Amino acid sequence: MTKRLLMTSDLPGTLWQLTDGMLVLPAALSSVYCTMLMDKNLMHQARNADSDEGPVGGVKEEDTRRHFASRFSGSSARVQLAVLDPKDHLRNTSDLFVKAFSGGKIGLLDVPCGAGAASAALLGCIAELRKAKVLPREPLEVFLVCGEISTYARSYAEELLDGMGKELEREGIWIKKKSVPWNVLDAESTTSILYAWMDWARDCREYFVVMANFSGFLQGQGKLNDAKPQLDEIIRWAASRRSSVFWIEPQTNLAVKGLIPRILAWFGLRLPSRFRQQWGTEKSIAGSDALFQHPVRVDSRPPVRLSLIRLEASEP
Ligand SMILES: C[S@@+](CC[C@H](N)C(=O)[O-])C[C@H]1O[C@@H](n2cnc3c(N)ncnc32)[C@H](O)[C@@H]1O
């Protein structure tokens, strides 16, 4: 097996505690998360919630509040697990993240962004690796488009990423973000968000699409078939931009027995040619698991489990 760019032994204790097999959320992320929980009167709820329980988000303010208090930290840890791959379960996945976010201009599409867990965990990890001098501090501009149906979740994501801005800038990372209303069931809003991404993230060195924790809505609420034409459109545009696509889901029954086999069957038939060459190899689907230090329950180390579907562009 080829040597990874980011070896487990390189990971700083501020992100991965080897002896406990435990992830620690990036400091820039957890400190803003705690401040937001206090400002929004959600700290008590977050301290008492089960990270695997609670709503999967939705359009109402209460949905966003409950998701933020209960599931947000698990969603962040799941993305961190994909980015760092501390147990070496995910082939060269961490290399793709590390190479793409090493410097220059990057275009990132985060859908649905919810309260921003995926982008915040990804950029928080890169910042922490730079701080620990594992990665060089090359200037990095991230042209980020966040799409999401809930106005409340979009505003939480903006607040979170704005709150992390100073800490990221100290590590040479600038986020240029645009937040866009998006409904995966609506063709027009999908074309609009893709237009926004084309327009906002121009001439980037690399493009990335992250879709995280969507199984509750797509499988749990039976919406996958209605969403497929719009997801197909996203994937076609991602292919044209030679993007890497990461679809990150938990290892719940809903995801593992429901959504993921359906995605695999659908991708097997419908992928754009740029993604087809790599598809079906051992890199396309993988899983991992770890514990994570809960950011507000000091004695709690809940498990986090990940299923990852990866699309990598190759020359047609
Ligand atoms: C479990 S959250 C995941 C959010 C984020 N990716 C994360 O990892 O925390 C699912 C998100 O899907 C959003 N959502 C629900 N229905 C949607 C729709 N029709 N179109 C777009 N987003 C939707 C919810 O508002 C919620 O924020």
Side-chain angles (χ1 to χ4, degrees), residues 55-60 63-64 67 71-76 78-79 110-119 147-151 153-154 181-186 189-190 210-218 221 223 227 248-249:
V56 293
V59 290
K60 294 195 220 111
D63 296 331
T64 297
H67 179 270
R71 291 192 179 228
F72 177 90
S73 51
S75 296
S76 306
R78 190 166 300 114
V79 173
D110 179 356
V111 282
C113 66
S119 297
E148 160 65 52
I149 199 163
S150 158
T151 325
R154 285 200 310 278
W182 173 63
N183 180 357
V184 70
L185 303 179
D186 183 79
S189 94
T190 301
V210 177
M211 298 197 275
N213 304 310
F214 216 3
S215 52
F217 176 71
L218 294 177
Q221 297 182 26
K223 301 291 189 193
I248 294 169
E249 290 295 339

Side-chain angles (χ1 to χ4, degrees), residues 22-286:
M22 183 179 79
L23 294 163
V24 182
L25 295 183
L29 166 55
S30 39
S31 80
V32 181
Y33 178 58
C34 290
T35 307
M36 285 177 66
L37 286 175
M38 281 188 292
D39 290 350
K40 295 177 192 312
N41 247 330
L42 285 170
M43 187 56 95
H44 178 75
Q45 215 170 309
R47 288 217 165 104
N48 294 292
D50 180 332
S51 335
D52 266 348
E53 296 295 325
V56 293
V59 290
K60 294 195 220 111
E61 183 173 9
E62 192 48 29
D63 296 331
T64 297
R65 286 175 61 80
R66 288 177 56 205
H67 179 270
F68 195 63
S70 59
R71 291 192 179 228
F72 177 90
S73 51
S75 296
S76 306
R78 190 166 300 114
V79 173
Q80 179 168 349
L81 183 59
V83 174
L84 303 181
D85 185 19
K87 295 189 179 174
D88 208 1
H89 287 160
L90 307 174
R91 305 256 162 191
N92 63 338
T93 297
S94 74
D95 286 358
L96 296 184
F97 283 109
V98 165
K99 267 196 225 154
F101 290 85
S102 58
K105 268 178 79 171
I106 299 298
L108 175 62
L109 178 66
D110 179 356
V111 282
C113 66
S119 297
L122 162 55
L123 298 175
C125 282
I126 301 290
E128 198 62 47
L129 291 168
R130 288 172 168 224
K131 195 172 180 178
K133 302 201 173 0
V134 174
L135 298 180
R137 207 182 267 131
E138 295 292 327
L140 170 69
E141 286 180 294
V142 183
F143 288 80
L144 167 65
V145 172
C146 294
E148 160 65 52
I149 199 163
S150 158
T151 325
Y152 303 103
R154 285 200 310 278
S155 111
Y156 276 45
E158 292 203 36
E159 190 176 337
L160 179 77
L161 292 165
D162 285 344
M164 290 172 65
K166 280 270 162 321
E167 196 60 40
L168 296 187
E169 282 173 23
R170 260 194 279 282
E171 302 309 326
I173 302 168
W174 286 268
I175 310 180
K176 322 267 180 176
K177 68 179 177 330
K178 195 177 184 79
S179 177
V180 179
W182 173 63
N183 180 357
V184 70
L185 303 179
D186 183 79
E188 205 174 319
S189 94
T190 301
T191 302
S192 293
I193 193 173
L194 287 165
Y195 176 77
W197 191 45
M198 299 304 138
D199 189 47
W200 188 249
R202 285 167 185 262
D203 307 321
C204 292
R205 191 171 57 76
E206 286 202 38
Y207 294 98
F208 252 70
V209 178
V210 177
M211 298 197 275
N213 304 310
F214 216 3
S215 52
F217 176 71
L218 294 177
Q219 182 71 16
Q221 297 182 26
K223 301 291 189 193
L224 180 65
N225 285 341
D226 294 335
K228 271 183 184 172
Q230 288 65 248
L231 295 171
D232 272 336
E233 193 184 358
I234 294 177
I235 287 162
R236 278 196 305 274
W237 278 102
S240 310
R241 292 198 121 178
R242 305 175 98 274
S243 317
S244 302
V245 178
F246 293 82
W247 192 330
I248 294 169
E249 290 295 339
Q251 285 182 1
T252 54
N253 279 346
L254 206 62
V256 173
K257 296 196 178 138
L259 185 71
I260 289 171
R262 293 175 73 199
I263 298 174
L264 297 180
W266 158 42
F267 279 3
L269 297 173
R270 304 242 346 149
L271 278 187
S273 50
R274 273 233 167 101
F275 288 142
R276 231 177 281 147
Q277 201 176 316
Q278 298 277 340
W279 182 249
T281 65
E282 67 286 351
K283 290 183 190 164
S284 311
I285 167 107

